[in-house]
Amino acid sequence: MRKLLTLLFVLSAVVTASQQPAPPPVRPRPAPAQPEVRLVLLIAVDQFRYDYLTRFRKEFTGGFDRLLTQGAVFTDANLEHYPTVTAIGHATMLSGATPSVSGIIGNDWFDRETAAQVQSITDSSVKPIGAPDAATASPRRLLVSTVGDEIKLASGAARGAANAPKVIGVSLKDRSAVMPAGRGADAAYWLDIKSGAMVSSTYYMPEAPAWVRAFNDRHLADGHLGEEWTPLSPPATTLKQMPKEKGQPYYEAVFASPWGNDLLLEFAADVLTHERMGQRGPTDVLSVSFSSNDSVGHTYGPESPQVRDIAVRTDRVIGQLLQRVDKLVGLRHTLVALTADHGVAPVPEDLTKRSLPGGRITNKELFGAIEKALTGRFGEGQWLLSTAGTSPYLNYALMDQMKLDPAEVRRVAAAAATAFPHVARVYTRDQLVNGSVGGDRIAQRVVRGFNAQRSGDLEIILEPYWLRSATGTTHGTPYNYDAHIPLVLMGPRIKPGTYSDHVALNDLAPTITTIVGVDPPSGSSGRVLTEALTPAVARAPR
């Protein structure tokens, strides 16, 4: 009996134990998830030399201050292409491609197929929206994808779908709005200087959204009629007098003043609000390019009080933009990139006062010497069909008619250009196609800027500080004053600090795509800036 009772007790214990729930398995605690990137925000400041960040540092209390304090600052970032102009710089920012691959070889060039001068954004197949007489533009001449294009491709969502990433570019300049956003962008907007309205083209949409029409109905550009631009800090003086009547001269003056940047800030804020950029789930891309600094810099030069004042005001404008992004999206979810499309040369007359080299020559003098040499060697004819920058396009039909060897004609033209005063180097199309140029930084920048289908027949490099502009100053050379630019990153996975190794603007696009987890753009030639990235942490499963 005792054995039977013991057996019944054991069986009862086993049954009871089997009815108890099993303890949950012990799972390792997941690492804290990194903030997801909901918005990629590109901030470009046209014609903003790197040294403006250091020269005016003590006066920065807004956006530049925040980025320089909380971001990864690359002190030796450069444009590794030639020429250093707006369209190329903006095309490079989010494509990572050089002109040889992107096809954007300048602000404009001569198109041999149509025998016409074209701009980087020329597209006769589209119509303006936002203002009936506005100039049209599209990205069709861009031959590569951008960061925004790759994010859209990776999402798999149809264009315009509710869950599709949005990509929008805004600027006062058409090419500065169009190029960073890329061919698959949802919209690009720029200023029509005839009407003062923000406009776009039918490449992107059939008509302007209601919020854009409402923005233009506010006529914010008209708020500075007759005003004086005076500096933020002493001495008190008039830096610019605005026209008193509306019209194209007035809107051009707004463009060429700090109020142009203020106007763009308000428009960018409306884009964030009405398009809900970074607030819908997918990763969106917003490119904001401030153009007014370029217009001011061309007129007055980098040593002027106007450039100093607009730089400080731009710091405040960018600060306000970051505050609005923080409120709507959250900066912890925003990957911010600050850069510029090019620098600028000092005004030659200012250099002369300091006993430094530099001066001015005219296109007529430079290209006239080439035409004279070709006429003297081969006979009369229209030897130059057109020019783009310092690059001439020779007349192939005339060569065929005279049964001339084009390579020989190019050699004669190059010899004439080389003999011209203050020309430093000349490269022929033959040298660039065959790769028979030097390996130094200047030569390689010229090679990267050459596209066999679109470029001219010679690339003529003037001596440092020699300009082809009659007044003010300009840019476009492969020299440091035009090529050394700011590059600052801030946001998820960015390790704040100062980085002094040499980097290129081409490195920005692949770095962004690595952070957001998509393929780099199709023509990207840059590297990932791993030195400024924290290790990736896998997300916890949802």
Side-chain angles (χ1 to χ4, degrees), residues 361-371 420 468:
I361 63 174
T362 67
N363 282 342
K364 184 177 181 180
E365 293 169 332
L366 176 61
F367 296 121
I370 295 173
E371 289 182 302
F420 192 83
R468 293 177 298 107

Side-chain angles (χ1 to χ4, degrees), residues 520-541:
S522 59
S524 172
S525 61
R527 69 175 181 88
V528 179
L529 299 170
T530 54
E531 63 269 35
L533 301 187
T534 59
V537 176
R539 293 188 178 279

Side-chain angles (χ1 to χ4, degrees), residues 18 29 46 65 98 122 125 132 142 234 279 282 306 334-335 354 407 418 483 539:
S18 67
R29 179 176 296 178
D46 203 316
D65 178 65
T98 61
T122 297
S125 70
L142 182 65
Q279 303 158 62
Q306 287 87 350
T334 304
L335 179 58
R354 299 173 182 267
T418 302
R539 293 188 178 279

Side-chain angles (χ1 to χ4, degrees), residues 19-72:
Q19 293 174 343
Q20 298 295 322
V26 177
R27 293 180 179 177
R29 179 176 296 178
Q34 293 171 333
E36 61 179 344
V37 177
R38 299 174 184 171
L39 178 67
V40 174
L41 175 63
L42 172 68
I43 302 174
V45 185
D46 203 316
Q47 199 191 112
F48 201 84
R49 291 165 44 135
Y50 170 80
D51 67 325
Y52 292 171
L53 290 180
T54 56
R55 286 166 57 186
F56 310 135
R57 180 67 180 90
K58 293 181 179 179
E59 298 181 69
F60 295 152
T61 59
F64 291 145
D65 178 65
R66 187 169 197 167
L67 288 160
L68 292 171
T69 303
Q70 302 177 19

Side-chain angles (χ1 to χ4, degrees), residues 456-473:
D457 291 284
L458 304 178
E459 295 293 348
I460 303 170
I461 312 299
L462 303 181
E463 293 174 356
Y465 297 140
W466 280 86
L467 313 180
R468 293 177 298 107
S469 61
T471 60
T473 186

Side-chain angles (χ1 to χ4, degrees), residues 471-488:
T471 60
T473 186
T474 192
H475 50 83
T477 76
Y479 300 122
N480 291 332
Y481 52 84
D482 284 341
H484 190 197
I485 55 164
L487 183 59
V488 183

